Amino acid sequence: MTYIHPYDKRIEGFINNNISDRSDIKSVSNDLLAWFDNNIEYSRLNAPFFPLQRSDLDVLSMRSGTCGDYANLIVSVLLKLGYEAMYAYVHKDCYGDKQDHICAAVRDGEKWILIDATQLYRKWYGIHCPHQEYELIFPTAFEEMMKKEESYWINRAKQYGNELYAGLLYAPWIYERILKQTDTIIESIFYLMMIDEHRVTTVYAYYRIYTKDNGSIPMMSIISKGKRKYCFSVRRTNQIWDNEQ
């Protein structure tokens, strides 16, 4: 497998250095999420044309990534520790927003619980993340699914004249800058970079405000060809990716 390497010495070293209690899934999860708090940023800027998925080892070396990359590392660690682990492909998150999101899942007794390292979810939930709609996928099936995605987007990128565009075409979310974080709120700017068939890039910068119970985007900036347009919400969003304000 190329996304996870649970038997690699670097994963074993990570566990030895960062997981204090391996016998309890809550302790393991807390240590994992604490490591993300202190070491990882949500970003593809250091390698924006990287393949669709960064592996567990890539996350350790780059100290950055996005949701699927985070899940690769968590699943790898859980498997190495002897837990049953899967991926959760999230279609509607804990806020009720439609998403194309990935996190990890682990069997805890008779049930599966979600472990989500993406900061927005990690801050208030992390373990037992209450996403509303998701499907569980075994690691081998997840890799097969994502390899098909890679093949599709590489073929799409060829139409743009450069296979390197595949990563951005599939995953245009490239960076999140945290503006403010307290016990009760996160304010951030979330950047997407889109490329059209003429290879013209457009950057979308969403100003996002989240609490434990809800989220909103009061303002969005669209930057393309040297022009910048600001869009302001005039009503409460029904879902976070609501461009019909």
Side-chain angles (χ1 to χ4, degrees):
M1 299 183 72
T2 56
Y3 298 148
I4 58 175
H5 305 82
Y7 304 109
D8 190 282
K9 290 183 178 180
R10 284 165 286 184
I11 296 299
E12 183 177 352
F14 172 84
I15 292 172
N16 290 336
N17 292 330
N18 296 284
I19 308 300
S20 57
D21 183 356
R22 308 179 186 185
S23 63
D24 176 75
I25 189 59
K26 183 177 181 180
S27 297
V28 171
S29 299
N30 283 334
D31 285 347
L32 277 168
L33 296 176
W35 183 83
F36 277 92
D37 281 336
N38 296 320
N39 293 279
I40 293 292
E41 66 175 351
Y42 188 99
S43 178
R44 291 172 56 91
L45 289 179
N46 58 352
F49 299 109
F50 205 84
L52 276 56
Q53 289 283 307
R54 290 173 172 172
S55 76
D56 48 0
L57 303 179
D58 295 325
V59 174
L60 291 180
S61 63
M62 292 183 176
R63 298 300 173 99
S64 66
T66 57
C67 61
D69 312 328
Y70 298 170
N72 287 332
L73 178 58
I74 294 174
V75 167
S76 185
V77 169
L78 292 172
L79 291 175
K80 175 62 177 178
L81 292 173
Y83 292 97
E84 293 185 66
M86 299 177 71
Y87 292 86
Y89 205 112
V90 179
H91 305 295
K92 183 181 288 187
D93 70 8
C94 55
Y95 295 99
D97 300 322
K98 293 180 180 179
Q99 291 287 356
D100 183 11
H101 178 63
I102 300 166
C103 67
V106 62
R107 182 185 288 278
D108 184 21
E110 297 299 317
K111 60 183 179 180
W112 288 88
I113 61 173
L114 303 188
I115 304 173
D116 200 325
T118 298
Q119 186 174 26
L120 169 62
Y121 308 117
R122 181 174 82 232
K123 179 175 178 61
W124 290 293
Y125 300 106
I127 314 168
H128 293 280
C129 195
H131 291 315
Q132 296 178 17
E133 295 180 9
Y134 58 88
E135 55 183 311
L136 296 179
I137 306 173
F138 284 105
T140 51
F142 178 79
E143 176 140 347
E144 181 180 347
M145 178 182 75
M146 293 309 299
K147 288 298 183 183
K148 290 180 180 178
E149 285 281 348
E150 285 186 6
S151 178
Y152 171 80
W153 289 106
I154 287 172
N155 287 330
R156 281 288 305 274
K158 289 178 180 178
Q159 300 173 19
Y160 290 65
N162 192 333
E163 289 187 10
L164 289 176
Y165 288 149
L168 278 177
L169 290 173
Y170 168 75
W173 36 93
I174 58 170
Y175 187 67
E176 182 170 29
R177 179 186 175 195
I178 303 299
L179 303 177
K180 178 181 179 181
Q181 183 171 190
T182 68
D183 290 341
T184 59
I185 195 170
I186 293 178
E187 295 182 30
S188 71
I189 300 178
F190 191 82
Y191 295 90
L192 288 85
M193 186 165 72
M194 310 290 288
I195 301 176
D196 68 16
E197 63 273 15
H198 304 294
R199 288 187 261 183
V200 174
T201 59
T202 300
V203 174
Y204 294 81
Y206 293 87
Y207 170 51
R208 310 200 302 178
I209 301 176
Y210 278 93
T211 67
K212 183 177 181 179
D213 300 315
N214 58 67
S216 65
I217 297 179
M219 182 175 69
M220 175 176 68
S221 178
I222 306 172
I223 307 159
S224 184
K225 293 183 178 180
K227 297 181 180 179
R228 178 174 300 195
K229 175 183 178 182
Y230 289 97
C231 306
F232 297 89
S233 297
V234 295
R235 56 180 170 77
R236 184 177 179 84
T237 52
N238 292 319
Q239 60 189 47
I240 222 61
W241 303 113
D242 183 357
N243 291 324
E244 298 180 357
Q245 288 291 333

